[in-house]
Amino acid sequence: MSVNEEQQTGKDGALANAQWGGRFAGGPSAIMQDINASIGFDQALWRQDIAGSLAHAAMLARTGIISEADEAEIRRGLTEIGAEIAAGRFTFSTALEDIHMNIEARLSERIGEAGKRLHTARSRNDQVATDFRLWVRDAIDGLDAQAASLMRALSRRALEHADAPMPGFTHLQTAQPVTFGHHLMAYVEMLARDRGRLADTRRRLNECPLGSAALAGTSFPIDRRMTAAALGFDRPTANSLDAVSDRDFALEYLSALSILAMHLSRLSEEIVIWCSAPFSFVRLSDAFTTGSSIMPQKRNPDAAELVRAKIGRISGALVGLLTVMKGLPLAYAKDTQEDKEPVFAATDAAALSLAACDGMVRDLVPHTERMRTYAGSGFSTATDLADWLVRVLKLPFRTAHHVTGRLVGLAEKRGVDLADLTLEEMQAEEAGITAEIFSVLTVESSIASRTSEGGTAPANVRAQAARWLAALGEPAA
Ligand code: ARG
């Protein structure tokens, strides 16, 4: 009977787990096994687990804790197991609880005695803490690359539409004209901070728990610097109790993902609004829309709606894990096994959301004429009029605001734009006004005048987009 088969028989309560069978006469009940087992999800850690074990075994041999011959056997065995798992030929056993014991049991099955020496000076507690940090680190690297790609897509589109006017909103009411490029570049800044948060998280998590053992460290003469370096960590963790029990790195990661998901949710909501028939600011192709089973005219932005919603899962994962960790006494407790599923689920959701946004941003076609029309509606250049009164007539801003307000009221009553009022009508409100004022009332002049740092003037937008494209390794020219 193979070790795995033997473990599966244990499900009837007939046999003790081979990993701690010395102390246990009977096996767990089926319910115990179900609640205890994590192999259903933590098999996702197999690459990290094998990498951790290879580093640990190499260190055990170098320090003379195991023989070079045993280490060579372990290396061969783990490499073969990795190939088995990659090829889908590995049978995961629930009786063996988790990925760590599945791999270790298989190793002993394949190479015998040497395999049983691998767990010297190690516990699953430092093992899982190490594997999970490695997994989160890899996930950060993947999401970072995706976020960079989305930033490139946004910057490209922004450069293309650096001077395309659109209405800028506050309270979702037309406020002042901006450019479509400027609007897109706002999300580039948000994503840059998201990447910064992920990079901070990565920097702080990059310490190696391996060698903390169960909770107190070990009496074996291990070399923690060697394993830390082999696994790409900056250094070993400093306190064994902290190392095996905290999961703040996962919480930081989930909070960074929650904020990222919030940004993507906002972008998606805007795409939903822009695609709606009354707005019709952009069009998404068939590649990013779906039809309706009953209304033939429909073209629904489902991808955008789903990204808008994904924050529910992602921030849910954060709150879920925070709640798991709250009140846990030091050091390791089985509660922390609940750390993985929320992190895996949030990672999948974030990766899919980034991919969908990337696709939509590259796909969308802005209706620039329509945006231009609405950019000039709703008295959007009223602030430009008030600013002219301040700049040219030296009125105090508050007074200029009142004069402008009365002119807006008049235009509204007559059902015309500010630029359609006559000079005489304007002068009736403020005698000093000259015909020059009409030059600041167009959408183009308004946008071009916003040259303050970070403002919407096309020259600014072009410079920002080009700067980001260069920084992201995809120069504009
Ligand atoms: N599957 C466990 C987890 O994810 C591994 C650590 C188990 N340690 C223990 N002492 N039972 O946390």
Side-chain angles (χ1 to χ4, degrees):
M1 192 188 316
S2 77
V3 178
N4 283 359
E5 284 162 14
E6 183 180 296
Q7 299 312 317
Q8 266 142 11
T9 342
K11 181 134 188 164
D12 311 319
L15 283 170
N17 184 308
Q19 310 305 112
W20 52 69
R23 161 81 172 66
F24 282 71
S29 77
I31 292 170
M32 179 61 210
Q33 209 169 87
D34 278 351
I35 195 168
N36 205 32
S38 53
I39 188 63
F41 50 88
D42 70 14
Q43 50 184 269
L45 298 176
W46 71 267
R47 280 197 180 80
Q48 290 76 15
D49 196 68
I50 287 178
S53 289
L54 287 170
H56 183 65
M59 181 279 292
L60 291 178
R62 171 83 68 85
T63 51
I65 298 169
I66 65 172
S67 70
E68 298 286 345
D70 282 345
E71 194 259 334
E73 278 295 278
I74 291 171
R75 195 161 2 100
R76 181 177 61 79
L78 287 173
T79 307
E80 287 167 3
I81 291 170
E84 276 178 6
I85 300 177
R89 283 188 280 105
F90 189 96
T91 313
F92 293 104
S93 154
T94 309
L96 285 167
E97 207 180 309
D98 58 23
I99 187 63
H100 323 294
M101 292 206 292
N102 267 268
I103 290 178
E104 195 192 325
R106 180 73 179 133
L107 184 67
S108 298
E109 189 179 73
R110 290 191 74 112
I111 69 168
E113 281 300 300
K116 297 183 184 168
R117 297 190 193 280
L118 172 61
H119 211 53
T120 314
R122 181 177 82 168
S123 152
R124 274 187 299 153
N125 297 351
D126 58 338
Q127 192 178 352
V128 70
T130 304
D131 293 359
F132 200 33
R133 281 185 193 233
L134 288 172
W135 193 94
V136 172
R137 198 176 72 184
D138 289 345
I140 287 174
D141 294 344
L143 293 175
D144 181 69
Q146 282 193 276
S149 168
L150 177 54
M151 289 170 69
R152 278 192 288 273
L154 287 161
S155 303
R156 277 252 156 256
R157 302 314 303 270
L159 200 55
E160 225 176 284
H161 299 288
D163 40 26
M166 75 176 274
F169 299 100
T170 60
H171 314 267
L172 200 56
Q173 307 293 315
T174 303
Q176 294 174 4
V178 296
T179 71
F180 187 53
H182 194 53
H183 196 114
L184 296 180
M185 289 307 295
Y187 286 100
V188 171
E189 296 295 329
M190 295 180 222
L191 286 163
R193 291 192 297 276
D194 288 322
R195 292 179 71 200
R197 272 180 285 273
L198 286 171
D200 286 346
T201 303
R202 192 190 197 286
R203 203 172 306 122
R204 252 187 305 280
L205 76 68
N206 208 29
E207 296 185 341
C208 187
L210 201 58
S212 302
L215 75 164
T218 176
S219 57
F220 289 98
I222 57 172
D223 181 348
R224 294 192 60 206
R225 273 157 219 284
M226 181 180 165
T227 40
L231 294 169
F233 286 108
D234 295 329
R235 64 191 79 83
T237 50
N239 181 296
S240 59
L241 298 169
D242 169 46
V244 295
S245 71
D246 203 10
R247 295 293 182 267
D248 61 351
F249 65 90
L251 292 168
E252 269 192 61
Y253 172 66
L254 290 174
S255 68
L257 289 199
S258 298
I259 297 172
L260 166 69
M262 175 276 292
H263 288 150
L264 299 183
S265 182
R266 297 184 72 186
L267 172 60
S268 299
E269 163 67 351
E270 302 216 275
I271 292 174
V272 170
I273 293 174
W274 295 340
C275 284
S276 71
F279 263 82
S280 296
F281 280 6
V282 308
R283 180 184 161 91
L284 286 175
S285 79
D286 296 355
F288 285 93
T289 48
T290 61
S292 157
S293 56
I294 174 167
M295 296 165 283
Q297 85 284 10
K298 288 302 280 298
R299 194 178 181 77
N300 297 325
D302 295 41
E305 295 167 76
L306 287 162
V307 174
R308 186 173 61 184
K310 290 289 181 197
I311 181 159
R313 267 173 214 258
I314 295 172
S315 63
L318 170 63
V319 174
L321 183 55
L322 265 178
T323 311
V324 166
M325 294 307 297
K326 178 203 165 293
L328 277 190
L330 302 187
Y332 178 83
K334 195 62 175 254
D335 308 49
T336 42
Q337 181 165 285
E338 294 281 314
D339 60 0
K340 292 167 203 71
E341 289 166 290
V343 166
F344 295 161
T347 303
D348 287 346
L352 198 51
S353 298
L354 281 166
C357 286
D358 197 90
M360 289 189 289
V361 167
R362 288 169 200 272
D363 180 81
L364 63 80
V365 177
H367 294 164
T368 47
E369 269 317 301
R370 196 170 159 85
M371 287 198 277
R372 162 73 186 75
T373 302
Y374 284 93
S377 75
F379 311 108
S380 65
T381 55
T383 312
D384 299 271
L385 195 157
D387 287 350
W388 185 90
L389 297 174
V390 170
R391 200 173 52 244
V392 180
L393 303 187
K394 309 293 178 213
L395 296 191
F397 180 75
R398 194 48 63 203
T399 310
H401 187 285
H402 285 299
V403 171
T404 308
R406 284 195 295 274
L407 290 171
V408 167
L410 179 64
E412 203 167 30
K413 199 155 70 208
R414 285 192 40 206
V416 297
D417 284 334
L418 278 175
D420 300 324
L421 293 176
T422 64
L423 184 58
E424 292 69 34
E425 283 172 316
M426 297 224 192
Q427 286 169 340
E429 286 300 339
E430 169 49 57
I433 292 180
T434 69
E436 188 202 293
I437 199 160
F438 291 102
S439 71
V440 301
L441 296 182
T442 68
V443 163
E444 281 71 18
S445 63
S446 170
I447 287 172
S449 73
R450 298 300 197 274
T451 52
S452 56
E453 202 171 335
T456 197
N460 274 1
V461 176
R462 264 191 292 275
Q464 289 297 320
R467 180 177 72 80
W468 271 117
L469 284 169
L472 293 161
E474 196 183 286

